């Protein structure tokens, strides 16, 4: 189905694409085999932002959809998400410690709010990140507190990406929480959905929680049979935590011309139907993406976990090393126990969804901040780009050995879900499979 608003947005976005002067230098449809899942995928190449006075970035972006217009807008949107955060005005940032900011009467997010690393990780030889203490000097920028609507200082490295001017590095830089959309409310929702999703996945994976398997029957089975080829097996799970916004994890197992594969994905949305649809879409995108990654990384063996230094490495690790798949076999082999009223749930308005999520966060004593980082050229193309920051939620990153294991939620949330409390020593030590 072609949505008129999508066509309007695609036309507005065309000025961003040019191999000479474009924000995106190239965009094209990803090649599909007849044996692949039925969906559309596009890839986009970003320009070298350093030429335009931003931090250096010249990566690739991707997007997928069940229609071509959804897929191409998704790819463009991810491209501008990566573009905008590379620009900042160093003169408008504040270089100080948290203690100095407080002494000056400024409002700032306390270092102890952030779910970063465990004390044991800091003792690891050559661990390059410093403990985020009240006396550590870093750069800060103002963000909006979504509860008070006032400004508060946040570490600039959690707002911009890349951000290389800090001498003291407190974290790997990850893109979780960035979102681009023509509608500012939808951008905020997409950003906070991603933060909730990654938190839920990390809590599930690191604790190997026995989350319920979703029954693929009725309307859901009809949809799955239409999209997923019969030689692939789809498994869906409910990984919703104490944040009662539906979060779904998916595993796709199959055999393609490049061999046996296993793919993971997850999504958070206001209804299980939307979360399931997004999870399935991301899993379907994995098949051509894995084909590309396996070709590009053909000579990499990943015989040591420490060789996994990116999300790309993590995503194909279990395909290259099926002998380790036993760590999630219990999920695949379990019987389905949760039935979803697929396509029968009442939809949420964006405003009501935002209110509901913020109410839940407030009740759980979790903070939410946001910062618009839209550049003028992206705004001209009718996009708004936000960074949503929820410091207590557990981030997900792609560097093995440097997972975020210091956040209290990693240990206390399973108890709220009916499981026993874990310890640092009892956490899952296998690499996560997230792309």
């Amino acid at each position: 189905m072609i949505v008129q608003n999508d066509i309007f947005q695609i036309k507005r976005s065309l000025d961003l694409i040019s191999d000479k002067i474009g924000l995106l230098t190239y965009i094209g449809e990803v090649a599909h085999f007849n044996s692949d899942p039925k969906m559309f995928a596009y890839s986009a190449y970003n320009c070298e932002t350093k030429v335009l006075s931003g931090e250096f970035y010249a990566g690739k972006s991707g997007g997928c959809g069940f229609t071509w217009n959804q897929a191409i807008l998704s790819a463009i949107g991810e491209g501008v998400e990566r573009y905008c955060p590379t620009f900042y005005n160093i003169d408008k940032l504040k270089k100080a410690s948290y203690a100095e900011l407080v002494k000056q009467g400024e409002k700032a997010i306390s270092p102890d709010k952030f779910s970063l690393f465990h004390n044991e990780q800091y003792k690891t030889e050559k661990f390059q990140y410093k403990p985020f203490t009240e006396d550590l000097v870093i750069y800060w920028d103002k963000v909006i507190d979504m509860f008070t609507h006032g400004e508060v200082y946040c570490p600039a490295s959690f707002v911009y990406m890349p951000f290389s001017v800090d001498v003291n590095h407190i974290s790997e830089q990850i893109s979780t929480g960035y979102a681009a959309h023509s509608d500012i409310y939808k951008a905020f929702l997409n950003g906070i959905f991603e933060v909730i999703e990654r938190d839920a996945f990390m809590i599930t994976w690191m604790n190997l929680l026995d989350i319920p398997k979703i029954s693929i029957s009725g309307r859901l089975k009809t949809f799955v049979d239409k999209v997923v080829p019969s030689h692939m097996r789809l498994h869906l799970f409910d990984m919703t935590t104490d944040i009662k916004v539906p979060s779904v994890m998916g595993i796709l197992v199959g055999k393609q011309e490049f061999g046996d594969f296993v793919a993971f994905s997850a999504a958070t949305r206001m209804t299980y139907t939307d979360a399931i649809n997004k999870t399935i879409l991301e899993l379907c995108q994995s098949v051509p993406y894995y084909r590309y990654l396996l070709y590009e990384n053909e000579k990499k063996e990943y015989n040591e976990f420490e060789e996994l230094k990116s999300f790309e490495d993590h995503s194909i690790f279990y395909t290259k090393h099926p002998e380790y798949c036993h760590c999630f076999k219990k999920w695949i082999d379990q019987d389905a126990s949760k039935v979803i009223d697929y396509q029968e749930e009442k939809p949420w308005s964006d405003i009501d969804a935002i209110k509901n999520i913020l109410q839940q966060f407030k009740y759980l004593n979790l903070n939410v901040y946001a910062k618009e980082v839209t550049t003028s050229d992206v705004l001209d193309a009718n996009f708004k780009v936000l960074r949503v920051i929820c410091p207590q939620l557990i981030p997900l990153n792609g560097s093995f050995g440097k997972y975020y294991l210091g956040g209290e939620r990693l240990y206390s949330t399973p108890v709220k879900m009916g499981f026993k409390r874990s310890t640092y020593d009892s956490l899952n030590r296998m690499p996560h499979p997230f792309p």
Side-chain angles (χ1 to χ4, degrees):
M1 179 178 66
I2 297 178
V3 180
Q4 199 62 37
N5 286 342
D6 289 351
I7 300 301
F8 170 78
Q9 185 58 49
I10 291 172
K11 289 180 178 179
R12 290 289 299 270
S13 304
L14 292 179
D15 289 340
L16 301 176
I17 307 168
S18 168
D19 60 352
K20 299 292 192 299
I21 59 172
L23 178 160
L24 301 174
T25 60
Y26 167 84
I27 188 166
E29 188 171 0
V30 175
H32 273 69
F33 285 23
N34 287 335
S35 58
D36 289 352
K38 304 300 184 287
M39 45 78 72
F40 296 85
Y42 280 82
S43 62
Y45 289 29
N46 282 71
C47 68
E48 293 187 12
T49 50
K50 193 170 184 179
V51 177
L52 303 174
S53 75
E55 287 260 13
F56 176 78
Y57 178 77
K60 298 176 183 178
S61 304
C64 56
F66 292 121
T67 63
W68 73 266
N69 45 307
Q70 291 174 348
I72 197 170
L73 274 179
S74 177
I76 295 171
E78 185 168 292
V80 301
E81 282 177 23
R82 301 295 187 267
Y83 173 82
C84 290
T86 68
F87 299 94
Y88 55 85
N89 185 343
I90 192 72
D91 295 331
K92 292 187 177 181
L93 305 183
K94 201 170 186 77
K95 187 177 183 181
S97 68
Y98 173 78
E100 289 171 337
L101 289 175
V102 172
K103 190 175 181 180
Q104 295 167 11
E106 301 285 3
K107 293 181 179 179
I109 307 173
S110 174
D112 63 11
K113 294 289 187 184
F114 289 92
S115 294
L116 296 175
F117 305 105
H118 194 277
N119 289 335
E120 292 299 316
Q121 292 177 278
Y122 290 115
K123 299 176 185 177
T124 306
E125 186 179 1
K126 296 182 180 179
F127 194 78
Q128 70 264 47
Y129 302 115
K130 295 185 177 181
F132 187 20
T133 64
E134 294 187 358
D135 297 319
L136 192 71
V137 176
I138 58 172
Y139 280 94
W140 303 74
D141 195 14
K142 290 182 177 179
V143 296
I144 300 298
D145 185 324
M146 295 302 296
F147 295 125
T148 68
H149 307 294
E151 291 185 325
V152 59
Y153 277 107
C154 173
S157 59
F158 295 143
V159 177
Y160 303 102
M161 178 181 170
F163 188 79
S164 62
V165 296
D166 270 329
V167 174
N168 298 312
H169 299 287
I170 58 177
S171 170
E172 177 181 341
Q173 289 198 269
I174 55 177
S175 61
T176 301
Y178 286 122
H181 204 283
S182 58
D183 185 305
I184 195 74
Y185 297 112
K186 285 183 168 59
F188 176 81
L189 280 172
N190 288 341
I192 201 165
F193 283 152
E194 186 174 57
V195 176
I196 296 171
E197 166 210 311
R198 302 301 168 89
D199 172 79
F201 178 79
M202 277 295 285
I203 290 168
T204 298
W205 178 261
M206 296 309 303
N207 293 282
L208 288 176
L209 299 181
D210 289 319
I211 53 176
K213 190 172 187 178
I214 296 172
S215 174
I216 300 178
S217 58
R219 293 183 181 182
L220 176 55
K221 186 177 188 304
T222 301
F223 173 68
V224 170
D225 290 344
K226 180 180 178 181
V227 175
V228 179
S230 59
H231 59 278
M232 299 180 187
R233 290 291 176 265
L234 173 70
H235 307 270
L236 298 171
F237 307 86
D238 181 10
M239 62 174 190
T240 307
T241 65
D242 56 335
I243 302 173
K244 300 303 179 185
V245 183
S247 296
V248 172
M249 181 180 79
I251 306 175
L252 186 65
V253 181
K255 186 178 183 66
Q256 288 293 85
E257 85 291 343
F258 53 78
D260 296 336
F261 74 92
V262 57
F264 271 71
S265 189
T268 296
R269 290 295 185 269
M270 291 307 296
T271 65
Y272 278 101
T273 295
D274 289 343
I276 287 170
N277 287 348
K278 179 65 172 174
T279 301
I280 294 174
L281 182 60
E282 296 288 342
L283 286 172
C284 290
Q285 184 187 23
S286 297
V287 177
Y289 182 54
Y290 282 16
R291 180 179 294 118
Y292 163 77
L293 286 180
L294 289 166
Y295 174 78
E296 288 291 309
N297 298 279
E298 184 178 7
K299 296 182 179 179
K300 290 185 179 181
E301 296 296 331
Y302 304 116
N303 291 321
E304 301 292 335
F305 293 167
E306 287 70 20
E307 295 178 46
L308 304 175
K309 300 182 184 302
S310 68
F311 281 108
E312 290 84 358
D313 293 336
H314 279 76
S315 64
I316 57 175
F317 172 75
Y318 289 99
T319 295
K320 280 182 169 283
H321 286 281
E323 68 272 19
Y324 289 122
C325 288
H326 60 82
C327 67
F328 47 78
K329 194 172 185 295
K330 68 171 186 176
W331 288 326
I332 292 176
D333 290 346
Q334 73 170 286
D335 294 329
S337 60
K338 188 176 184 72
V339 178
I340 301 297
D341 293 326
Y342 185 72
Q343 294 182 343
E344 296 180 3
E345 299 165 282
K346 182 180 178 181
W348 291 73
S349 71
D350 293 338
I351 298 297
D352 286 343
I354 292 171
K355 288 180 178 179
N356 178 275
I357 294 173
L358 291 180
Q359 285 172 356
Q360 290 197 52
F361 272 65
K362 191 170 186 178
Y363 175 77
L364 295 170
N365 293 314
L366 302 173
N367 299 98
V368 185
Y369 305 95
K371 175 79 172 184
E372 184 174 1
V373 295
T374 317
T375 55
S376 58
D377 48 356
V378 169
L379 187 60
D380 287 342
N382 199 42
F383 278 107
K384 288 88 176 175
V385 181
L386 291 183
R387 179 69 185 259
V388 179
I389 304 150
C390 306
Q392 293 97 339
L393 269 61
I394 310 299
L396 172 69
N397 64 325
S399 297
F400 181 82
K402 300 178 181 65
Y403 297 164
Y404 298 95
L405 307 182
E408 172 59 22
R409 282 184 56 77
L410 198 59
Y411 307 95
S412 61
T413 304
V415 178
K416 297 180 181 180
M417 298 168 67
F419 304 100
K420 68 177 183 179
R421 184 183 177 92
S422 61
T423 65
Y424 175 76
D425 292 329
S426 68
L427 293 176
N428 179 18
R429 297 301 171 179
M430 294 296 294
H432 72 70
F434 212 84

